[in-house]
């Protein structure tokens, strides 16, 4: 753990972190409508490190705040570049609880938007259910401030957290992202199918957008399309790609 912690700090300082972008596709048009920025880190001694191997550690030590800050800046700058080249996609960034609860988080986001000129509605922040539930009043104030900026807000891994539905009517969010664990059993698993249908129905009734993650097969995509899901992302269409590759693909298949 200490080795990873040390390597992580060195890695960030020495530019060994990078972002890959996974396309998000509209189920009715087949167009690329967005990209999720996903962290990649390659260490000379430890090799390729998956986020699951180091993000929990970074969350424990607090270093996630520095990493998250870097990710946000990198993603917003990239999104602004794409915007400048005529690409109309929403760039989604994962936000960790510690980062979200920093007093200057909203100001950071506002400053980055101002500095890069990225239209706020082209930035999406992925929050988890637990972020909204811990210190709920404070979280609500913060989410409202972000919504006022015009930034889009999405609930990541929806259905796996504490699943208090109370916040859905209070918090100004734009999208639910159905967790991969419910998608993998589609279309055969009856429980998964029922849960996914219910999330889509609820999202639509609340006028939220619904996206499914972890879509790997054509039958899964078809199920989601028929159930009225708006968007999807997953290996079926593409893995997370280096920025230039994403740009090429999106230019060919964006609105
Ligand atoms: P997440 O935000 O739920 O991201 C989706 C994860 O699912 C990504 O893994 C992605 O590569 C993977 N995935 C996408 N499509 C498929 C598919 O069709 N099948 C399967 N089996 N997997 C798929 P990744 O990149 O390893 O990231 C894992 C988690 O690490 C993310 O889950 C997110 O919670 C966290 N993470 C990644 N980047 C960041 C970041 O910049 N900041 C923060 N705070 N967390 C991040
Ligand atoms: Mg995510
Ligand atoms: Mg997720």
């Amino acid at each position: 753990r200490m080795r990873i912690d040390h390597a992580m700090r060195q890695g960030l300082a020495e530019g060994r972190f990078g972002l890959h972008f996974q396309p998000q596709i509209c189920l009715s048009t087949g167009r690329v409508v967005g990209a999720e920025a996903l962290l990649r880190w390659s260490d000379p001694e430890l090799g390729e490190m998956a986020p699951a191997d180091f993000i929990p550690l970074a969350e424990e030590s607090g270093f996630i705040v520095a990493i998250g800050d870097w990710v946000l800046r990198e993603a917003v700058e990239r999104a602004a570049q794409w915007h400048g080249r005529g690409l109309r996609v929403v760039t989604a960034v994962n936000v960790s609880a510690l980062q979200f609860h920093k007093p200057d988080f909203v100001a950071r986001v506002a400053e980055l938007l101002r500095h890069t000129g990225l239209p706020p509605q082209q930035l999406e922040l992925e929050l988890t259910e637990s972020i909204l539930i811990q210190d709920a009043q404070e979280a609500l104030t913060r989410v409202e401030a972000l919504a006022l900026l015009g930034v889009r807000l999405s609930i990541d891994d929806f259905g796996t957290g504490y699943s208090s539905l109370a916040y859905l009517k209070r918090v100004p969010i734009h999208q639910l992202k159905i967790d991969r664990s419910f998608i993998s059993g589609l279309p055969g698993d009856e429980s998964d199918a029922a849960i996914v249908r219910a999330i889509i129905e609820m999202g639509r009734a609340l006028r939220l957008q619904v996206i499914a993650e972890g879509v790997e097969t054509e039958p899964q995509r078809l199920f989601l399309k028929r159930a009225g899901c708006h968007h999807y992302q997953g290996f079926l269409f593409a893995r997370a790609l280096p920025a230039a590759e994403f740009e090429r693909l999106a230019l060919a298949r964006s609105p």
Side-chain angles (χ1 to χ4, degrees), residues 14-103:
E14 292 173 9
R16 292 199 197 102
F17 281 84
L19 291 182
H20 278 191
F21 296 86
Q22 186 173 39
Q24 301 181 327
I25 296 80
C26 173
L27 275 160
S28 53
T29 65
R31 303 267 187 190
V32 174
V33 290
E36 178 177 9
L38 292 162
L39 197 52
R40 296 293 177 259
W41 168 35
S42 175
D43 182 79
E45 278 167 32
L46 300 166
E48 289 293 327
M49 297 288 286
D53 300 331
F54 63 92
I55 287 192
L57 247 166
E59 269 166 352
E60 266 175 56
S61 71
F63 192 59
I64 190 69
V65 173
I67 295 180
D69 221 45
W70 179 86
V71 169
L72 192 64
R73 179 157 41 80
E74 187 78 8
V76 170
E77 282 174 357
R78 183 67 71 188
Q81 254 177 33
W82 287 336
H83 178 75
R85 298 191 199 134
L87 204 59
R88 294 295 172 261
V89 291
V90 172
T91 300
V93 178
N94 292 286
V95 175
S96 86
L98 220 53
Q99 186 186 6
F100 180 81
H101 285 107
K102 279 271 153 189

Side-chain angles (χ1 to χ4, degrees), residues 36 94 126 156-158 177-180 213:
E36 178 177 9
N94 292 286
E126 292 195 1
D156 202 357
D157 308 332
F158 185 78
K177 190 168 200 180
I178 308 173
D179 189 66
R180 195 166 83 213
E213 68 176 2

